[in-house]
Amino acid sequence: MVTRKECIDPFQTDSVLLDQMLDWSRQHIRNGPDPRSGAKSFASLQRLLGDSITEDGMKGDAAFALFTDVIVPSTRPLNHPSSLSFVPAAPTPAALAFDAALSSAEIFAGNWDGASGAIHAENQALSWLADLAGWPATAGGVFVAGGTNGNLSALHAARVAWLKHHKNRPPLWQILCSAEAHSSIDAVARVMDAELLVIPADDTGCMDIDKARDALAAATGVFAIVANAGATNCGAIDDIAALADMAAHFDIWLHVDGAYGLAALADPRTRPQFSGIERADSFIVDPHKWLFSPFDSCALVYRNHLLGAQAHGQQGVYLDTLDQQAWNPSDYALHLTRRARGLPLWFSLVLYGTRAFASAIAQTINIAEQIAEGIKRQDNLQLILGPQLTVILFRANAIADEALDSWAEQQRRSGAMLCLPTSWRGEKVLRLCIVNPKTDPEYVLNVLKTLG
Ligand SMILES: Cc1ncc(COP(=O)(O)O)c(C=O)c1O
C-alpha cells in the first residue's frame, strides 16, 4: 500500500476539491452566516479537530470538512444583521465574492512593481476618501490590516515630522487623546514608549476642549493629538475643528481616529459633524467596519503623503532594483508584504457607485434612530445616549447586572441577537452598534421586549 505522501503532489490541481471549496464559498456568500455559531471551548475544539496535522495528511474532502463543520461554526458571525455588538461588519455579497477572486489572484501589493494595477485602483478608493475629507492632491496613503496598525503608523509619522522641526527630543513623548479614545491608542503609546495625556470627556463622550487646551499649554512633549470621529463605546465625535486650531497653534500633528465613524463622511447629511477634518494631518477609517467590505482593511490617509513616506520607507540591498520613485505602499505604514486589501472597497465603489454608499450609510443611521425612538417608548427600557452615529446606550429598568449577562448569552446562543453589555460612567449598560442596512428595527425592538 502506498502512503498518502507518495501519491499526492500538492501542486497538482485536485479539481474535485477545488470545485468543492468554490461551491461552498458560493453557497456561504449566498446564504450568509449562521447567527447561532460562536466560540467553543478549548476542550471541545481539541476533540473536534483532533490531531489534524499529520505526516501523511488526509483526504481533501475530510480536510475541508474540518473548516466547514468545525472551524466556521466556532466563529462569531459579526456580519449577521442581528449582530449589534462591538463594531460589527456588513460586507456586501459582491465584496465577499470579489475578495475570494482577489485571494485567487495572489497579488503582492507591497510595491508598484508587484501590483501596479491593484495599487492604482486602491489609490482611487483612497482618493475618494481624501476628497470626502476635503483634502488636497498631496493626500495619499495605504490600506493596512486594521485600525490599530493604522493608528500606530500615523502616530509614528507624526513623531518623525515633529523631530524634523525640533532640535531636541523631549524627556517624555506624549500623545493627547480623549478618555473615550479606543484601546488601540493606549497600545500604540506603549509600543512607542509614549505617555497618554488623557483628557476627560463630557456627558456625550466628547473630549473637553478647555481641558485639552490647558493640558497642551502645560505639556512639553506632545507630538500628536488624536481626535475621535466616532468613539467606539459611545459614538462620540470630538470637536475636530477646535482640535485643529489647537494643533495649528502648538504646531503638532492632528490624527483623526475614524476607524468606525468616518465612514459617515460618505453621507452628505452627516459630513458636517466632522467639520475641521479638512485641516487634520492624517486619518484612518476601516472599510471592514461600516464601508461594507470584508476583513481586514483599514484606510490610512496622510494629508501630505510624503510625510508618511519619510517615516516608513524601507531600504534593503535586495530591494534596490525596485523603482523607489514609484508609488510603493510599503512606504506608508509599518509593513512590507501586503495583500491589496483595499480592492474590495474599490470594487464596490466601481460596481455600485458612491451614491449607493451615501444612501446605505444614511439608511443605517435612520435604523439606529428608529431603534432609539423605540427604546424611548418601551417601559422596560431607558435610553441613556444616542444614537451618536449608530451607537446606542440604554438600560433595562427591571434587570439586575448579573441577569444582563445571561439574557445576552441566551440571545446570542439562540441566534436572536448579539447585544452585549458595556460600561458607561461606571454603570453596566447595554450597547448597540448598527452598521448593516439590513438590520430590522422592528425585529430588534421585539427582541428587546424580552428584557423584562
Ligand atoms: C475607533 C476605533 N479605533 C481603532 C480601532 C481598532 O481597529 P482594528 O480592530 O481594525 O485594529 C477600533 C476598533 O473597533 C475602533 O473602533
Side-chain angles (χ1 to χ4, degrees):
M1 212 172 98
V2 290
T3 66
R4 301 275 302 155
K5 210 168 184 181
E6 281 166 319
C7 67
I8 288 185
D9 174 358
F11 292 95
Q12 186 102 35
T13 309
D14 176 342
S15 330
V16 175
L17 178 60
L18 212 65
D19 286 348
Q20 196 189 348
M21 292 195 283
L22 294 173
D23 286 348
W24 182 89
S25 303
R26 186 181 299 111
Q27 281 310 317
H28 193 71
I29 290 170
R30 283 217 174 108
N31 298 340
D34 180 348
R36 292 164 306 177
S37 64
K40 291 194 171 61
S41 70
F42 176 87
S44 67
L45 285 169
Q46 191 79 348
R47 183 171 45 79
L48 292 165
L49 275 184
D51 291 326
S52 58
I53 300 175
T54 61
E55 275 198 2
D56 294 331
M58 66 170 69
K59 281 193 157 171
D61 52 356
F64 189 52
L66 290 177
F67 174 70
T68 57
D69 300 352
V70 178
I71 293 176
V72 174
S74 64
T75 59
R76 176 171 268 155
L78 283 180
N79 58 327
H80 193 274
S82 69
S83 181
L84 307 175
S85 289
F86 312 108
V87 181
T92 60
L96 283 173
F98 177 82
D99 202 36
L102 172 64
S103 289
S104 312
E106 177 68 349
I107 297 169
F108 173 90
N111 54 49
W112 189 260
D113 204 43
S116 58
I119 294 163
H120 193 74
E122 281 188 304
N123 285 351
Q124 289 184 345
L126 291 172
S127 292
W128 173 65
L129 292 167
D131 288 349
L132 288 176
W135 281 9
T138 53
V142 65
F143 288 92
V144 294
T148 304
N149 187 351
N151 284 332
L152 173 62
S153 298
L155 289 167
H156 175 61
R159 186 157 72 180
V160 170
W162 193 95
L163 278 166
K164 274 198 150 286
H165 294 110
H166 298 80
K167 280 207 183 76
N168 301 314
R169 286 163 181 258
L172 182 64
W173 292 109
Q174 292 171 310
I175 299 166
L176 184 139
C177 68
S178 153
E180 290 298 326
H182 185 261
S183 52
S184 58
I185 301 299
D186 179 55
V188 166
R190 281 182 277 127
V191 169
M192 295 181 75
D193 195 18
E195 180 190 65
L196 282 190
L197 212 51
V198 179
I199 307 302
D202 65 17
D203 288 348
T204 61
C206 292
M207 192 193 298
D208 183 321
I209 293 298
D210 290 336
K211 291 203 170 86
R213 200 176 289 111
D214 292 348
L216 266 183
T220 50
V222 179
F223 63 90
I225 297 173
V226 177
N228 273 331
T232 321
N233 199 37
C234 63
I237 303 171
D238 288 335
D239 184 342
I240 302 175
L243 293 173
D245 288 343
M246 247 179 263
H249 180 77
F250 290 96
D251 193 20
I252 46 183
W253 186 286
L254 175 61
H255 172 64
V256 180
D257 181 355
Y260 149 64
L262 266 184
L265 274 176
D267 171 27
R269 214 173 46 126
T270 310
R271 201 176 304 148
Q273 293 186 38
F274 304 107
S275 169
I277 193 166
E278 66 283 357
R279 289 184 285 143
D281 297 289
S282 57
F283 71 76
I284 61 158
V285 55
D286 285 0
H288 66 220
K289 288 186 163 64
W290 194 11
L291 283 172
F292 318 112
S293 301
F295 298 126
D296 46 18
S297 182
C298 164
L300 159 62
V301 192
Y302 302 96
R303 181 192 180 75
N304 176 357
H305 73 90
L306 294 174
L307 298 181
Q310 273 167 18
H312 291 289
Q314 293 192 26
Q315 266 90 46
V317 283
Y318 83 106
L319 299 171
D320 280 352
T321 53
L322 298 172
D323 182 356
Q324 305 296 333
Q325 304 313 313
W327 190 284
N328 295 315
S330 58
D331 287 346
Y332 295 99
L334 194 66
H335 58 192
L336 181 58
T337 298
R338 62 182 288 274
R339 72 196 302 266
R341 53 171 56 86
L343 276 191
L345 173 64
W346 166 84
F347 182 73
S348 294
L349 286 165
V350 170
L351 182 64
Y352 299 118
T354 57
R355 238 197 321 261
F357 276 72
S359 71
I361 297 278
Q363 194 181 337
T364 325
I365 291 174
N366 188 262
I367 291 165
E369 283 164 355
Q370 288 181 54
I371 294 173
E373 280 307 311
I375 288 174
K376 278 194 217 161
R377 283 196 303 269
Q378 274 183 216
D379 288 344
N380 61 332
L381 306 175
Q382 195 181 357
L383 184 70
I384 299 171
L385 196 61
Q388 302 205 98
L389 293 173
T390 58
V391 178
I392 299 168
L393 299 180
F394 62 105
R395 58 174 72 88
N397 295 326
I399 307 252
D401 279 7
E402 317 78 65
L404 273 186
D405 291 321
S406 52
W407 175 85
E409 177 56 15
Q410 213 179 332
Q411 303 312 313
R412 185 200 70 73
R413 258 178 204 279
S414 69
M417 191 160 83
L418 186 71
C419 168
L420 302 174
T422 184
S423 159
W424 180 249
R425 304 297 182 246
E427 178 188 352
K428 191 167 185 171
V429 302
L430 287 164
R431 172 180 173 277
L432 298 171
C433 178
I434 298 113
V435 297
N436 195 326
K438 288 176 82 178
T439 298
D440 177 355
E442 283 310 312
Y443 173 85
V444 172
L445 289 166
N446 272 332
V447 176
L448 295 182
K449 281 189 184 141
T450 64
L451 271 164

